[in-house]
Amino acid sequence: MHPTRVIGLMSGTSVDGIDTALVEISGRDLDLKVELIAGETYPYPPQLREQILELGAGAAVSMAELATIDDAISRTFAEAAQFIQVGHQAATLIGSHGQTVYHRPRQGAGELGYSFQLGRGSLIAHLTGITTVSNFRTADISVSGHGAPLVPRVDAYLLGDSREERCIQNIGGISNVTYLPAVSDNWLSQIRGWDTGPGNSLLDLAVQYFTNGAKTYDENGDWAASGTPCYPLVEKWLSHEYFHLPPPKSTGRELFGVAYLHQCLEDAQGYQFSTWPADFLATITELTAVSIVHNYDTFLPRRPHQVLLCGGGSRNIYLKRRLELLLGKVPVSTTDKVGISASFKEAIAFAVLAYWRSIGIPGNLPSVTGASQEVLLGEIHGNYP
Ligand SMILES: Nc1ncnc2c1ncn2[C@@H]1O[C@H](COP(=O)(O)OP(=O)(O)OP(=O)(O)O)[C@@H](O)[C@H]1O
Ligand SMILES: CC(=O)N[C@H]1[C@@H]2OC[C@@H](O2)[C@@H](O)[C@@H]1O[C@H](C)C(=O)O
């Protein structure tokens, strides 16, 4: 089978821009191979980013305004797909995750979750002339799944190992883990994955708050590294019920967004800090690290042999150091070490999910999302006869 050239487009809860990967894919599952031809993050136009953040924070908009924002996002995604192909052989397929603006996991029997991504695939296909798969989360939700995380099945085939157990830890706005036991028979059903809680979302918001918007994140974690975490406060925050909820579970900025940051700032008033706000940033960073390890120790059969980080938070040197310290003997590195770009893994994953959709392979893992069955993920736009 010839490799298929696919573009993966992903914008996550950080709303920092469109992570774009141009890849060549071949194989199906254990023989799946992906070569990254080009990877780039194209920032959102600042005004559109603001609108998306406001929508995510619950702003009221008219249907007409929603349609305008939806189309502006689709256009930005289509441009990203066009830019990434410059100087390269063209792609024949796009997998576009879109932009999550609302995520409500299923609360109980008799109902379904709700996950809303903007950036309609039909317009992306229309503008690029390339068949586009979008709306990946709906099919899993329709069979009672959380619709998230969806990357674990791709992690399994790209990052699984026959000798050791691995945790693939994505640290985006929200953090999510894929636990991969050593590859064996009935291995897929033993894979676990869920959102561990905040990744960079609270830290980004705090940096914006303390710099009046002049900075959007703590580069390399330098600011937090100049402070000292307040452990009693981390303990208090760790009592949040999300951290104690057993998987399958998923979350978003609805839980760990602006309102929660303001709660954290209020909580902090009851404690002593010698260096403000560096100590507060160190404490927020510690919550991300401690909650990840707490999730492992509470919900995994045992700690893995190694942890491979990906997502923007893998570039936060201070956070990585805190994780290393908390995990003791378990080595922590990034997926780059085993040949998969830590910065573009999520975008690559949506290219693979689109490819799987086009050849009829399911993309979800019921052991991860809680779905009642495997399903084909995504709606196909643009391959009209
Ligand atoms: N050099 C760096 N130092 C520290 N943090 C960084 C660095 N580069 C990126 N980040 C963090 O990574 C974030 C973006 O990460 P990423 O693109 O993986 O998130 P996302 O895909 O939007 O989120 P999610 O995975 O939740 O959907 C930025 O908002 C920033 O907090
Ligand atoms: C609803 C939604 O967009 N969820 C994202 C978000 O970002 C990280 C985490 O929360 C994860 O559950 C998911 O994305 C990844 C790419 C996934 O589906 O695997």
Side-chain angles (χ1 to χ4, degrees):
M1 198 159 81
H2 282 301
T4 307
R5 201 163 266 238
V6 191
I7 295 168
L9 301 170
M10 168 77 195
S11 175
T13 45
S14 303
V15 200
D16 55 334
I18 326 304
D19 291 339
T20 308
L22 175 66
V23 290
E24 282 218 335
I25 310 178
S26 62
R28 294 173 64 87
D29 37 55
L30 284 172
D31 61 342
L32 182 74
K33 289 209 169 39
V34 174
E35 188 194 341
L36 180 66
I37 311 284
E40 206 66 62
T41 299
Y42 299 103
Y44 271 118
Q47 200 198 339
L48 182 57
R49 176 170 196 264
E50 270 319 300
Q51 286 174 313
I52 295 167
L53 288 170
E54 280 169 20
L55 261 187
V61 290
S62 68
M63 287 311 291
E65 285 166 325
L66 187 66
T68 304
I69 296 173
D70 193 9
D71 280 358
I73 293 173
S74 311
R75 285 180 191 284
T76 313
F77 274 60
E79 278 165 17
Q82 277 153 344
F83 288 147
I84 200 78
Q85 293 177 90
V86 174
H88 300 287
Q89 190 193 315
T92 55
L93 186 65
I94 293 174
S96 177
H97 169 268
Q99 178 66 58
T100 299
V101 287
Y102 181 68
H103 184 70
R104 186 199 71 202
R106 174 173 179 255
Q107 312 288 312
E111 66 170 77
L112 294 177
Y114 201 105
S115 197
F116 191 22
Q117 284 74 43
L118 293 180
R120 55 186 174 143
S122 52
L123 184 53
I124 297 172
H126 177 74
L127 292 169
T128 59
I130 300 173
T131 301
T132 301
V133 185
S134 65
N135 244 353
F136 286 91
R137 302 194 189 275
T138 330
D140 182 80
I141 287 173
S142 69
V143 289
S144 302
H146 275 249
L150 296 180
V151 170
R153 194 177 184 124
V154 181
D155 284 344
Y157 292 123
L158 292 183
L159 295 160
D161 186 84
S162 57
R163 291 148 306 170
E164 64 173 25
E165 298 176 11
R166 293 178 169 173
C167 275
I168 315 303
Q169 187 68 48
N170 174 46
I171 310 179
I174 295 297
S175 240
N176 61 290
V177 64
T178 304
Y179 165 72
L180 299 172
V183 181
S184 67
D185 300 340
N186 74 15
W187 165 67
L188 275 192
S189 65
Q190 294 166 27
I191 292 170
R192 298 285 177 269
W194 65 90
D195 290 352
T196 53
N200 307 294
S201 62
L202 298 172
L203 185 61
D204 284 359
L205 286 166
V207 167
Q208 283 162 50
Y209 175 80
F210 291 123
T211 63
N212 287 320
K215 287 191 173 164
T216 54
Y217 69 100
D218 184 14
E219 195 171 356
N220 305 325
D222 287 345
W223 201 356
S226 69
T228 309
C230 169
Y231 293 101
L233 197 47
V234 175
E235 277 304 308
K236 178 182 169 66
W237 292 338
L238 205 59
S239 67
H240 191 301
E241 65 174 10
Y242 184 78
F243 301 125
H244 305 276
L245 200 66
K249 59 177 175 175
S250 61
T251 187
R253 292 176 81 99
E254 295 78 14
L255 229 54
F256 298 109
V258 183
Y260 189 70
L261 176 73
H262 284 286
Q263 181 60 54
C264 292
L265 284 164
E266 208 178 299
D267 291 343
Q269 285 173 8
Y271 295 80
Q272 293 285 332
F273 292 93
S274 55
T275 323
W276 183 268
D279 288 356
F280 181 79
L281 296 177
T283 310
I284 288 280
T285 307
E286 195 71 11
L287 175 66
T288 293
V290 168
S291 62
I292 288 172
V293 177
H294 166 84
N295 268 277
Y296 290 6
D297 289 347
T298 314
F299 304 119
L300 289 180
R302 62 202 145 261
R303 285 188 177 178
H305 294 109
Q306 71 166 316
V307 173
L308 297 170
L309 304 179
C310 60
S314 67
R315 294 198 286 275
N316 183 324
I317 296 162
Y318 174 65
L319 174 59
K320 181 163 176 276
R321 219 167 54 213
R322 295 307 305 161
L323 278 168
E324 276 166 343
L325 225 95
L326 292 165
L327 283 164
K329 292 195 184 97
V330 181
V332 180
S333 49
T334 68
T335 58
D336 294 297
K337 185 182 148 195
V338 291
I340 300 291
S341 161
S343 302
F344 294 103
K345 184 177 75 70
E346 309 298 297
I348 292 170
F350 281 92
V352 172
L353 289 172
Y355 168 82
W356 277 344
R357 178 68 181 84
S358 73
I359 57 174
I361 296 179
N364 64 333
L365 275 181
S367 65
V368 167
T369 64
S372 58
Q373 61 183 87
E374 294 186 338
V375 278
L376 296 181
L377 300 182
E379 293 160 7
I380 304 177
H381 302 275
N383 66 340
Y384 310 114

